[in-house]
Amino acid sequence: MKVGAVIITMGNRPEELRALLDSVAKQDGDPIPVVVVGNGSPVPEVPDGVRTIELPENLGIPGGRNIGIEAFGPSGRDVDILLFLDDDGLLARTDTAELCRQAFAADPKLGIVSFRIADPDTGVTQRRHVPRLRASDPMRSSRVTTFLGGANAVRTQVFAEVGGLPDAFFYAHEETDLAWRALDAGWMIDYRSDMVLYHPTTAPSRHAVYHRMVARNRVWLARRNLPAPLVPVYLGIWLLLTLLRRPSRPALRAWFGGFREGWRSPCGPRRPMKWRTVWRLTRLGRPPVI
């Protein structure tokens, strides 16, 4: 199976980007063509053979990745699998691409693989980087209902069938939107602890837009994808969880501002998932109300 890789960058981590590209070049098996997308910024110097695209403006994470997908032909059809990697990450092993080839070849219904993210110094995987509710054991691989945006592999047939990432989201929850659409189309998602991306431990709230985008996109996610009776249940539970976490007053103001924006602004086409998909998600351990 042909494997390609998409990396988006703001151009501010040239050393980390070069290390990541070196780790991709060292993968076992056939060479992996790579596209680096400069998201509103110039692309730092890259090795020969790496394609670059410099966008005149920052399209956000999903928008930048969608540009990278199309660089491999419509819906990425020039390859069978696309790796999506954060520009400050590093593939820990040389067999990750080969493990992806084997996984997708062995399971025709496998659409997405989520890698394990580990801190390069401590080896620790944060709970938020295990895409399931039972996250206490990051070393346990399993079927899951979502995936990690900067450390994953996607069968390009998924994009051809259900479309790409939602551009308008800009940042936050775009992976779950794609995951729900893929699951609704019959694809499966695996979390694999043996496919590792080293990435420094960080807090998502480091992004200035974090609280607003998380709230707005949570509403958009529900409005776009959930059956109507589940929309208020899902958003009510997340409202309660947000209050229980006791964010700071400025963070809470930003969150409620994003929540209101999510209701007042267009969310894109509404395609509610089938009730049998709701049941599949429930059987996989994460009903679409949390």
Side-chain angles (χ1 to χ4, degrees), residues 4-287:
V6 172
I7 301 165
I8 59 173
T9 183
M10 299 292 291
N12 55 352
R13 294 189 280 240
E15 294 181 3
E16 292 90 339
L17 174 62
R18 185 58 183 252
L20 171 62
L21 291 170
D22 289 345
S23 74
V24 174
K26 292 175 183 176
Q27 291 297 299
D28 301 337
D30 294 337
I32 297 174
V34 180
V35 170
V36 178
V37 179
N39 216 351
S41 66
V43 176
E45 184 178 352
V46 297
D48 292 341
V50 174
R51 288 187 289 169
T52 61
I53 300 172
E54 295 185 354
L55 303 178
E57 61 178 310
N58 183 355
L59 299 182
I61 293 172
R65 287 186 178 138
N66 284 337
I67 294 293
I69 294 168
E70 295 302 309
F72 287 93
S75 300
R77 69 183 181 191
D78 294 345
V79 294
D80 302 298
I81 303 163
L82 277 175
L83 309 179
F84 295 89
L85 308 169
D86 275 352
D87 68 342
D88 55 346
L90 182 75
L91 290 173
R93 296 166 39 162
T94 62
D95 64 348
T96 301
E98 186 58 31
L99 289 173
C100 285
R101 294 185 186 99
Q102 294 172 7
F104 285 109
D107 185 352
K109 295 308 295 179
L110 179 62
I112 303 171
V113 173
S114 188
F115 301 168
R116 180 167 64 89
I117 293 179
D119 184 90
D121 297 322
T122 65
V124 171
T125 296
Q126 294 177 275
R127 286 182 65 93
R128 69 184 183 89
H129 285 153
V130 183
R132 58 175 179 246
L133 291 179
R134 297 175 181 174
S136 59
D137 182 7
M139 301 307 294
R140 178 172 66 87
S141 299
S142 68
R143 294 283 200 201
V144 290
T145 62
T146 188
F147 63 99
L148 306 174
N152 68 80
V154 181
R155 191 190 296 266
T156 54
Q157 190 179 345
V158 172
F159 297 127
E161 188 169 338
V162 307
L165 296 155
D167 286 344
F169 278 43
F170 197 85
Y171 165 80
H173 302 318
E174 67 273 5
E175 302 93 352
T176 300
D177 187 89
L178 176 60
W180 282 0
R181 285 183 281 127
L183 289 162
D184 197 47
W187 296 102
M188 301 301 292
I189 305 172
D190 280 354
Y191 166 72
R192 288 283 297 265
S193 64
D194 57 339
M195 301 181 189
V196 181
L197 184 84
Y198 283 148
H199 188 281
T201 298
T202 56
S205 55
R206 71 190 184 279
H207 299 289
V209 297
Y210 172 76
H211 295 287
R212 180 175 71 88
M213 293 293 194
V214 162
R216 184 197 69 180
N217 293 357
R218 183 81 70 185
V219 178
W220 281 359
L221 181 68
R223 290 174 59 198
R224 285 164 57 94
N225 296 287
L226 290 181
L230 295 186
V231 173
V233 180
Y234 177 82
L235 295 176
I237 288 174
W238 277 104
L239 172 61
L240 178 61
L241 288 173
T242 299
L243 295 175
L244 290 174
R245 289 169 177 170
R246 297 183 179 181
S248 67
R249 188 166 295 180
L252 197 58
R253 279 200 301 268
W255 193 94
F256 274 108
F259 193 81
R260 287 191 296 271
E261 183 183 350
W263 284 108
R264 295 172 178 173
S265 56
C267 64
R270 173 167 164 75
R271 299 188 181 95
M273 66 177 66
K274 308 173 190 73
W275 282 104
R276 68 186 182 195
T277 305
V278 173
W279 177 237
R280 278 183 72 200
L281 290 162
T282 303
R283 287 191 292 111
L284 288 168
R286 190 155 196 163

